[in-house]
C-alpha cells in the first residue's frame, strides 16, 4: 500500500504543470525601467505574466542602469549563489558599445557569464542589442554579430534585438532617444516572449 501511494505521489509531481522556477534577469537600463516606475518596465510585466500562467515562482530583476558586461560578470557569481536561478536572461552590452569598449572584452565577458550560468545548472537566454554607428560600421556590425555567434556556440536562445519594434518610432522612445517609454514596455515583452516562453514549459515525461 505504501509503495502504491509513493508511486501515485511521483506521478502527480511529474504531471504537475507547475515546477519551481526562478528567473534571473541581468541587464542594464533597458531592463531596469530607466525613467519609469519599476512596475511599468518590461521585466515587471513579464513577472506578472509568468506568475499568472504559473510558470515561475520568482523573477529576480538584477538589472542596473549603466551596467556593463564587466560589471555584470563581477556580480553574477553572487547572484547565482543567492538565488539559484533556473533560467538566466542576459541583456548586457549596450553600455559597452556606447563607451567603445574593445569588443573582444565584451565578448569574453558575455561568454564567461553564459558559462558560469550553465555551470550553476541554469539555462541561458541572450538578448541582443544594436548601437548607433558612432564608432563606424565595422565596430557596429561586429558588435551586433557577437550575440548570434555566442548563441550558436552555446546553443542558447537569442532575442535578436530587444528594441526591434520600438527603436525607430520616436513616439515610443524617451527624449534621450535611447530608452523606451512606458507605452513601449509591453512591446518589449512581446518581443521577448516568443523566445522565452518555450524555455519555461514543464518537462515532459
Amino acid at each position: 500500500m505504501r509503495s502504491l501511494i509513493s508511486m501515485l505521489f511521483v506521478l502527480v509531481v511529474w504531471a504537475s504543470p507547475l515546477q519551481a522556477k526562478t528567473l534571473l534577469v541581468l541587464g542594464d537600463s533597458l531592463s531596469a525601467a530607466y525613467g519609469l516606475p519599476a512596475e511599468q518596465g518590461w521585466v515587471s510585466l513579464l513577472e506578472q505574466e509568468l506568475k499568472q500562467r504559473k510558470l515561475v515562482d520568482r523573477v529576480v530583476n538584477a538589472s542596473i542602469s549603466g551596467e556593463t558586461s564587466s560589471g555584470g560578470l563581477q556580480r553574477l557569481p553572487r547572484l547565482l549563489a543567492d538565488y539559484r536561478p533556473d533560467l538566466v536572461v542576459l541583456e548586457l552590452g549596450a553600455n559597452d558599445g556606447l563607451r567603445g569598449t574593445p569588443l573582444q572584452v565584451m565578448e569574453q565577458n558575455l561568454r564567461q557569464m553564459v558559462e558560469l550560468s550553465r555551470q550553476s545548472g541554469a539555462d541561458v537566454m541572450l538578448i541582443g542589442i544594436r548601437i548607433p554607428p558612432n564608432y563606424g560600421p565595422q565596430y557596429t556590425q561586429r558588435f551586433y554579430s557577437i550575440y548570434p555567434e555566442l548563441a550558436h556556440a552555446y546553443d542558447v536562445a537569442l532575442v535578436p534585438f530587444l528594441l526591434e519594434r520600438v527603436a525607430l518610432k520616436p513616439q515610443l522612445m524617451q527624449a534621450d532617444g535611447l530608452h523606451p517609454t512606458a507605452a513601449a514596455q509591453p512591446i518589449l515583452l512581446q518581443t521577448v516572449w516568443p523566445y522565452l516562453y518555450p524555455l519555461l514549459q514543464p518537462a515532459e515525461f
Side-chain angles (χ1 to χ4, degrees), residues 33-132:
Y34 176 87
L36 305 171
E39 63 271 15
Q40 293 183 5
W42 75 265
V43 177
S44 291
L45 299 179
L46 173 66
E47 180 176 15
Q48 296 171 29
E49 183 70 22
L50 292 177
K51 288 188 173 181
Q52 182 177 355
R53 292 173 179 254
K54 298 183 179 180
L55 289 172
V56 300
D57 289 338
R58 177 169 58 170
V59 175
V60 178
N61 190 358
S63 303
I64 298 177
S65 294
E67 185 67 287
T68 63
S69 62
S70 295
L73 177 58
Q74 291 176 2
R75 291 196 295 130
L76 182 57
R78 180 62 181 268
L79 292 168
L80 294 173
D82 286 350
Y83 298 106
R84 301 186 181 278
D86 300 282
L87 174 62
V88 175
V89 177
L90 297 174
E91 181 276 301
L92 287 170
N95 289 306
D96 297 70
L98 293 175
R99 299 177 185 185
T101 300
L103 293 179
Q104 62 269 27
V105 173
M106 172 186 147
E107 179 179 8
Q108 184 60 26
N109 289 338
L110 290 173
R111 185 179 297 274
Q112 289 185 55
M113 282 188 277
V114 172
E115 292 178 354
L116 285 171
S117 299
R118 281 274 186 82
Q119 290 168 11
S120 76
D123 288 331
V124 179
M125 186 177 81
L126 289 171
I127 295 183
I129 196 70
R130 290 184 181 273
I131 57 172

Side-chain angles (χ1 to χ4, degrees), residues 177-191:
L178 296 174
H179 298 95
T181 63
Q185 300 301 313
I187 301 175
L188 299 186
L189 175 56
Q190 292 169 14
T191 301

Side-chain angles (χ1 to χ4, degrees), residues 112-164:
Q112 289 185 55
M113 282 188 277
V114 172
E115 292 178 354
L116 285 171
S117 299
R118 281 274 186 82
Q119 290 168 11
S120 76
D123 288 331
V124 179
M125 186 177 81
L126 289 171
I127 295 183
I129 196 70
R130 290 184 181 273
I131 57 172
N134 299 37
Y135 298 98
Q138 184 174 357
Y139 183 95
T140 303
Q141 293 169 12
R142 176 59 191 142
F143 174 93
Y144 182 64
S145 71
I146 287 174
Y147 297 97
E149 288 177 4
L150 288 176
H152 177 74
Y154 289 97
D155 191 24
V156 299
L158 169 68
V159 179
F161 179 28
L162 179 62
L163 305 184
E164 181 177 6

